[in-house]
Amino acid sequence: MAAMNFLARITINPAQCGGHPCIRGMRMRVKDLLDLLAAGVTSENILRDYPYREKEDIQAVLEFAAAQADHVMLRAG
């Protein structure tokens, strides 16, 4: 199965939500969805409570968070 690039669902617009990354140009920040997941809210509950969200949006925020955490660590020698 080929991997899908979910990052295309993440948008950054300086005129929206203070320039924070959002999902598909809507006014839900990536952080808001990550906060829900971190609080233990299931994907199924998120999709039920926010019917304009899609399963791929959840995958996109997780992919985005993983990409943000993947940075080079420099060590002073």
Side-chain angles (χ1 to χ4, degrees):
M1 178 191 283
M4 184 176 175
N5 181 7
F6 292 104
L7 290 179
R9 290 179 165 261
I10 306 301
T11 58
I12 299 174
N13 179 347
Q16 184 180 45
C17 294
H20 292 280
C22 293
I23 304 163
R24 293 186 290 130
M26 298 179 183
R27 294 191 180 275
M28 179 177 237
R29 299 175 308 160
V30 167
K31 182 185 181 331
D32 299 329
L33 193 48
L34 286 171
D35 285 344
L36 289 171
L37 292 167
V41 180
T42 66
S43 297
E44 293 79 16
N45 284 343
I46 291 169
L47 295 174
R48 185 190 67 233
D49 293 344
Y50 300 92
Y52 52 92
R53 289 288 149 240
E54 298 172 356
K55 179 181 168 185
E56 293 81 6
D57 295 334
I58 295 170
Q59 186 63 38
V61 299
L62 293 172
E63 186 176 323
F64 182 83
Q68 296 300 305
D70 186 25
H71 62 278
V72 176
M73 299 285 293
L74 299 177
R75 188 170 175 212

